[in-house]
Structures are given as structure tokens and as C-alpha cells.
Amino acid sequence: MSQIIEHIVLFKVKDNVDSDKIEAMANDLKNLGTIDQTLYLSAGPIHRLISPLGFTHVLHSRYKSKEDLNAYVAHPVHLRAVEEWMPIWEDVMAFDYIADIVPGSLTPPPRSVGKITLLKVKENLSDEAKTEIMEVIKEKSAGADQITVGLGQTFSPVNAKGFSIASVAYLKGLGETEALQDLVKEKVGDYVDGIIVVEFVVPLSS
């Protein structure tokens, strides 16, 4: 496989939604992994979040091409899930990128910890500066079992809210989320206008 597309969706569930309904939503999102084009999919609650946007749940999935991601988005099972659960979402953000590498294993082990980092960079930033930012992210995540980084692509119809660089890492345990934020500020803070860091546990049934 020469490339993979990383697909990230962050959800903020409304405050007044019943817990049983939230659990049903999470289980339904996991079932999107049965769509043929999906190489890997994990969905569930966020364990730890650095962001003022208040997201509560995350979905991460992988595809071998933009065409496969588009087929997933247009699939009746996906369309049905979006229509059913949209009324309980206060906010949704999506981000797609072509990974800089193809991980040795596309499926992280259950109970590992996923860490997604999203960065909003200043306008008219050079390609060299963007590359420097991605190297800083990989430097701090060097102990991860796997990590990919990349520049955002307009593959999904949902707004990425101006964020343009992302990474996905999987670790054996909870990472140093605050340390990553501090390192970004220290080394490339002049380039960055915003950061979101999400940590979540890969479910047993991912």
C-alpha cells in the first residue's frame, strides 16, 4: 500500500442528551467500520481534551485513497448514521490528510491510547515552516507505537475550522498531552494560532 488517508471527526454532544442515547450513538459510529472501503475505524468518548471547543467524542478511520473515503462518505450506512445522530450534535469538525508514512499495522491494538493533534497555523505560512511544525510533533511523539502527520486536504464536506496540520499517534498509555502543547509553543509558537489535542482509548471492539 503506497499511501493512506487519515479521517478524523470530532463531535460535541449536546448537554441534555440521555446517556443511553449517547452510548447508542457511539456504537452506531463504530459500526461504520463495516463499510467495505474502511481499512480501520475507532469511535468513542474522548478521555482528555485540550481545546476550548468542548468536543466529547472522536472518530478516526483510514482509507487507501481519496476515492475510497468519498465512497465511505456517500455510503447509505454512513448517510443514515449522520441523519439519525445529527440532531444530538452541537458541533462537528472533520479533518483529512494523506499520511506521511503508512504504519506497519493499520489497526492499533485494543486498549492502546490514540492521540490526535490538530494545529491552526498563521496565514501565508511557508511550506518550510509547516514542515518544521510537523517535525516538532513527531519529535515529541517519538515513543509512540505509530505516528503519522500531514497537511489538511479538502476531502470531507464538514468544516475543519481553519486547522491545517494534524497528527495521529497510538501509544501504550496516556501521553504527555500538556508537554506536547508546551513544546509546540516553545519551538514553533510563532507559527501557530490554535491547537487541539485529543486523547482516547481504543475500544476492545474497535
Side-chain angles (χ1 to χ4, degrees):
M1 191 176 302
S2 61
Q3 70 170 23
I4 60 165
I5 308 295
E6 302 278 29
H7 176 60
I8 300 161
V9 187
L10 302 178
F11 307 88
K12 182 179 181 180
V13 175
K14 294 176 181 177
D15 292 338
N16 61 349
V17 179
D18 180 82
S19 60
D20 289 342
K21 196 164 190 177
I22 293 174
E23 184 176 358
M25 175 207 73
N27 289 334
D28 203 18
L29 292 177
K30 292 176 193 175
N31 288 337
L32 297 177
T34 62
I35 296 174
D36 287 343
Q37 290 80 4
T38 305
L39 299 173
Y40 165 77
L41 186 145
S42 175
I46 291 171
H47 176 80
R48 185 160 53 176
L49 172 72
I50 294 178
S51 170
L53 298 176
F55 294 112
T56 59
H57 290 74
V58 58
L59 180 149
H60 170 227
S61 54
R62 289 173 162 163
Y63 306 86
K64 67 181 180 181
S65 67
K66 176 183 175 181
E67 291 73 23
D68 278 4
L69 174 56
N70 288 340
Y72 159 85
V73 170
H75 195 283
V77 172
H78 178 265
L79 294 175
R80 191 270 314 152
V82 171
E83 182 179 3
E84 180 171 352
W85 301 113
M86 182 72 77
I88 72 169
W89 297 334
E90 182 175 323
D91 196 8
V92 182
M93 172 181 170
F95 193 97
D96 306 311
Y97 67 92
I98 300 173
D100 61 326
I101 61 169
V102 178
S105 172
L106 294 178
T107 304
R111 309 307 299 172
S112 58
V113 174
K115 178 160 64 178
I116 293 171
T117 304
L118 298 167
L119 296 174
K120 181 186 293 185
V121 302
K122 296 185 183 298
E123 290 187 17
N124 303 317
L125 198 65
S126 68
D127 290 342
E128 291 80 6
K130 292 176 182 178
T131 298
E132 183 180 349
I133 292 170
M134 290 190 286
E135 289 303 319
V136 167
I137 295 173
K138 294 190 78 169
E139 173 189 338
K140 185 56 196 173
S141 302
D145 291 341
Q146 59 171 262
I147 178 170
T148 70
V149 299
L151 300 175
Q153 307 286 332
T154 55
F155 296 159
S156 295
V158 180
N159 194 340
K161 299 184 186 296
F163 287 79
S164 58
I165 295 177
S167 75
V168 174
Y170 283 94
L171 309 96
K172 291 184 174 67
L174 290 171
E176 298 177 350
T177 304
E178 292 80 3
L180 172 60
Q181 185 185 36
D182 291 343
L183 186 70
V184 168
K185 288 180 178 178
E186 174 189 345
K187 293 201 169 185
V188 291
D190 291 342
Y191 302 153
V192 175
D193 272 342
I195 181 169
I196 296 173
V197 183
V198 171
E199 284 191 350
F200 59 98
V201 178
V202 177
L204 291 173
S205 58
S206 173

